[in-house]
Amino acid sequence: MDKTELLAKAKEASKNAYAPYSNFKVGACVLFDSGNFYTGCNVENVSYGLSLCAERNAISNAISNGEQGKLVSIAIYSPNTEQCVPCGACRQWLVEFSKEAEIILEDKQNKIISYNINNLLPEAFSPEKLKD
Ligand code: THU
């Protein structure tokens, strides 16, 4: 699955977003080294703080479906902004499943941009830390 296809899946997932409070829709598609991919969208709640981001829902979808591989990349898309970067909590969730995840976004000109989780969450508290 290439970056364009992964972003297309994230775009599709953003259409299912339940975002009646912010009206900010997000979709994500996460790819594992098994070759399997999983999508998620944001799901808000009337008790605002309980809302869940698309990225964490995509990762939960993967784990719930028995995925045990390494997370390779995640595409994130919102029709409401260009370059929908993951929030801090989602960055921490990504690090849980890979310290090298590629984060694939789309800029204003529909050009694909990618970041590495190393740059978005430097000096992360990763699972290896508990083994120190
Ligand atoms: N949101 C995501 O789903 N992912 C992001 O990367 C940024 C924020 C959601 C949370 C909330 O439902 C809405 O977008 C506005 O913050």
Side-chain angles (χ1 to χ4, degrees), residues 22 24 26 42 44 53-55 84-87:
S22 71
F24 190 89
V26 186
N42 55 332
E44 297 186 344
C53 289
E55 297 89 324
C84 187
V85 288
C87 78

PDB file of all heavy atoms in Angstrom, residues 22 24 26 42 44 53-55 84-87, ligand 1:
ATOM      1  N   SER A  22     -17.193  19.957  17.449  1.00  0.00           N
ATOM      2  CA  SER A  22     -16.128  20.777  16.842  1.00  0.00           C
ATOM      3  C   SER A  22     -16.356  20.977  15.344  1.00  0.00           C
ATOM      4  O   SER A  22     -15.789  21.890  14.762  1.00  0.00           O
ATOM      5  CB  SER A  22     -14.767  20.094  17.041  1.00  0.00           C
ATOM      6  OG  SER A  22     -14.668  18.924  16.236  1.00  0.00           O
ATOM      7  N   PHE A  24     -14.989  19.351  13.293  1.00  0.00           N
ATOM      8  CA  PHE A  24     -13.651  19.115  12.743  1.00  0.00           C
ATOM      9  C   PHE A  24     -13.510  17.610  12.544  1.00  0.00           C
ATOM     10  O   PHE A  24     -13.384  16.854  13.500  1.00  0.00           O
ATOM     11  CB  PHE A  24     -12.609  19.650  13.736  1.00  0.00           C
ATOM     12  CG  PHE A  24     -11.202  19.683  13.212  1.00  0.00           C
ATOM     13  CD1 PHE A  24     -10.726  20.797  12.535  1.00  0.00           C
ATOM     14  CD2 PHE A  24     -10.336  18.603  13.411  1.00  0.00           C
ATOM     15  CE1 PHE A  24      -9.418  20.829  12.057  1.00  0.00           C
ATOM     16  CE2 PHE A  24      -9.028  18.628  12.940  1.00  0.00           C
ATOM     17  CZ  PHE A  24      -8.575  19.750  12.261  1.00  0.00           C
ATOM     18  N   VAL A  26     -11.857  14.121  11.198  1.00  0.00           N
ATOM     19  CA  VAL A  26     -10.522  13.552  10.975  1.00  0.00           C
ATOM     20  C   VAL A  26     -10.653  12.063  10.649  1.00  0.00           C
ATOM     21  O   VAL A  26     -11.495  11.363  11.228  1.00  0.00           O
ATOM     22  CB  VAL A  26      -9.608  13.721  12.219  1.00  0.00           C
ATOM     23  CG1 VAL A  26      -8.176  13.255  11.918  1.00  0.00           C
ATOM     24  CG2 VAL A  26      -9.591  15.167  12.712  1.00  0.00           C
ATOM     25  N   ASN A  42     -12.473  10.344  14.209  1.00  0.00           N
ATOM     26  CA  ASN A  42     -12.694  10.875  15.557  1.00  0.00           C
ATOM     27  C   ASN A  42     -14.150  10.681  15.966  1.00  0.00           C
ATOM     28  O   ASN A  42     -15.067  10.728  15.139  1.00  0.00           O
ATOM     29  CB  ASN A  42     -12.248  12.340  15.688  1.00  0.00           C
ATOM     30  CG  ASN A  42     -12.856  13.290  14.693  1.00  0.00           C
ATOM     31  OD1 ASN A  42     -13.214  12.892  13.583  1.00  0.00           O
ATOM     32  ND2 ASN A  42     -12.989  14.548  15.056  1.00  0.00           N
ATOM     33  N   GLU A  44     -16.613  12.119  18.934  1.00  0.00           N
ATOM     34  CA  GLU A  44     -16.746  13.082  20.030  1.00  0.00           C
ATOM     35  C   GLU A  44     -17.854  12.680  20.990  1.00  0.00           C
ATOM     36  O   GLU A  44     -18.621  11.747  20.730  1.00  0.00           O
ATOM     37  CB  GLU A  44     -16.986  14.483  19.434  1.00  0.00           C
ATOM     38  CG  GLU A  44     -15.792  14.930  18.599  1.00  0.00           C
ATOM     39  CD  GLU A  44     -15.887  16.352  18.091  1.00  0.00           C
ATOM     40  OE1 GLU A  44     -16.997  16.938  18.103  1.00  0.00           O
ATOM     41  OE2 GLU A  44     -14.828  16.869  17.677  1.00  0.00           O
ATOM     42  N   CYS A  53      -9.659  10.660  19.343  1.00  0.00           N
ATOM     43  CA  CYS A  53      -9.066  11.066  18.058  1.00  0.00           C
ATOM     44  C   CYS A  53      -9.084   9.907  17.055  1.00  0.00           C
ATOM     45  O   CYS A  53      -9.063   8.725  17.430  1.00  0.00           O
ATOM     46  CB  CYS A  53      -7.615  11.477  18.254  1.00  0.00           C
ATOM     47  SG  CYS A  53      -7.401  13.031  19.115  1.00  0.00           S
ATOM     48  N   ALA A  54      -9.051  10.284  15.795  1.00  0.00           N
ATOM     49  CA  ALA A  54      -9.040   9.312  14.695  1.00  0.00           C
ATOM     50  C   ALA A  54      -7.839   8.372  14.775  1.00  0.00           C
ATOM     51  O   ALA A  54      -7.961   7.164  14.532  1.00  0.00           O
ATOM     52  CB  ALA A  54      -9.010  10.063  13.365  1.00  0.00           C
ATOM     53  N   GLU A  55      -6.677   8.915  15.104  1.00  0.00           N
ATOM     54  CA  GLU A  55      -5.448   8.108  15.124  1.00  0.00           C
ATOM     55  C   GLU A  55      -5.546   7.000  16.160  1.00  0.00           C
ATOM     56  O   GLU A  55      -5.187   5.845  15.908  1.00  0.00           O
ATOM     57  CB  GLU A  55      -4.234   8.993  15.465  1.00  0.00           C
ATOM     58  CG  GLU A  55      -3.937  10.081  14.453  1.00  0.00           C
ATOM     59  CD  GLU A  55      -4.661  11.389  14.731  1.00  0.00           C
ATOM     60  OE1 GLU A  55      -5.816  11.361  15.206  1.00  0.00           O
ATOM     61  OE2 GLU A  55      -4.070  12.450  14.456  1.00  0.00           O
ATOM     62  N   CYS A  84      -2.871  17.803   8.831  1.00  0.00           N
ATOM     63  CA  CYS A  84      -3.481  17.517  10.136  1.00  0.00           C
ATOM     64  C   CYS A  84      -2.529  16.674  10.975  1.00  0.00           C
ATOM     65  O   CYS A  84      -2.577  15.440  10.973  1.00  0.00           O
ATOM     66  CB  CYS A  84      -4.824  16.814   9.944  1.00  0.00           C
ATOM     67  SG  CYS A  84      -5.698  16.610  11.496  1.00  0.00           S
ATOM     68  N   VAL A  85      -1.636  17.363  11.682  1.00  0.00           N
ATOM     69  CA  VAL A  85      -0.633  16.660  12.505  1.00  0.00           C
ATOM     70  C   VAL A  85      -1.302  16.015  13.723  1.00  0.00           C
ATOM     71  O   VAL A  85      -2.300  16.524  14.229  1.00  0.00           O
ATOM     72  CB  VAL A  85       0.493  17.624  12.980  1.00  0.00           C
ATOM     73  CG1 VAL A  85       1.396  18.010  11.835  1.00  0.00           C
ATOM     74  CG2 VAL A  85      -0.088  18.849  13.657  1.00  0.00           C
ATOM     75  N   PRO A  86      -0.766  14.885  14.199  1.00  0.00           N
ATOM     76  CA  PRO A  86      -1.378  14.234  15.367  1.00  0.00           C
ATOM     77  C   PRO A  86      -1.154  15.025  16.656  1.00  0.00           C
ATOM     78  O   PRO A  86      -0.104  15.667  16.825  1.00  0.00           O
ATOM     79  CB  PRO A  86      -0.651  12.882  15.434  1.00  0.00           C
ATOM     80  CG  PRO A  86       0.629  13.074  14.696  1.00  0.00           C
ATOM     81  CD  PRO A  86       0.381  14.123  13.663  1.00  0.00           C
ATOM     82  N   CYS A  87      -2.114  14.951  17.566  1.00  0.00           N
ATOM     83  CA  CYS A  87      -1.983  15.637  18.860  1.00  0.00           C
ATOM     84  C   CYS A  87      -0.938  14.904  19.705  1.00  0.00           C
ATOM     85  O   CYS A  87      -0.491  13.798  19.362  1.00  0.00           O
ATOM     86  CB  CYS A  87      -3.338  15.700  19.573  1.00  0.00           C
ATOM     87  SG  CYS A  87      -3.822  14.152  20.357  1.00  0.00           S
TER      88      CYS A  87
HETATM   89  N1  THU B   1      -8.608  15.315  16.340  1.00  0.00           N
HETATM   90  C1  THU B   1      -8.215  14.118  15.790  1.00  0.00           C
HETATM   91  O1  THU B   1      -9.028  13.199  15.656  1.00  0.00           O
HETATM   92  N2  THU B   1      -6.938  13.998  15.384  1.00  0.00           N
HETATM   93  C2  THU B   1      -6.026  15.002  15.346  1.00  0.00           C
HETATM   94  O2  THU B   1      -4.914  14.799  14.884  1.00  0.00           O
HETATM   95  C3  THU B   1      -6.385  16.328  15.868  1.00  0.00           C
HETATM   96  C4  THU B   1      -7.694  16.410  16.565  1.00  0.00           C
HETATM   97  C5  THU B   1     -10.013  15.491  16.707  1.00  0.00           C
HETATM   98  C6  THU B   1     -10.323  15.582  18.170  1.00  0.00           C
HETATM   99  C7  THU B   1     -11.625  16.368  18.142  1.00  0.00           C
HETATM  100  O3  THU B   1     -12.688  15.469  17.888  1.00  0.00           O
HETATM  101  C8  THU B   1     -11.475  17.275  16.935  1.00  0.00           C
HETATM  102  O4  THU B   1     -10.479  16.693  16.135  1.00  0.00           O
HETATM  103  C9  THU B   1     -11.113  18.722  17.263  1.00  0.00           C
HETATM  104  O5  THU B   1     -10.001  18.776  18.087  1.00  0.00           O
END
